Amino acid sequence: MTRAFAALAKGDWSAAVALHPLAPVLAAELILGWAAWGIALAARRPLRLPAPVDTLLLANLAALVALLLARVATGTLPW
């Protein structure tokens, strides 16, 4: 994931997706979460996340585990 994020930072989307297919999705979610946290801090109010965020986090975890298991099973880990 670290190498995929580094490739995203350089603008090399194809390399990032080749290293980890979920990297662009997770990067976008991290940026949105960071922005929401910053807005809540600037407004001096607690961060209240909508209810579907729990479901989204569980879906992310399931996708990451499924991808890892698929890559282990097929021998296609990027190292």
Side-chain angles (χ1 to χ4, degrees), residues 5-31:
F5 281 161
L8 280 175
K10 293 177 187 173
D12 192 357
W13 285 72
S14 60
V17 171
L19 289 166
H20 201 289
L22 295 176
V25 174
L26 294 174
E29 290 173 355
L30 286 171
I31 291 168

Side-chain angles (χ1 to χ4, degrees), residues 4-5 8-9 13 15 18 21 23-25 32 36 41 46-48 50 52 54-55 61 63-64 66 70 77-78:
F5 281 161
L8 280 175
W13 285 72
V25 174
L32 289 173
L41 283 176
L47 178 62
R48 292 194 184 117
D54 289 339
T55 305
L61 179 62
L64 286 169
L77 288 170

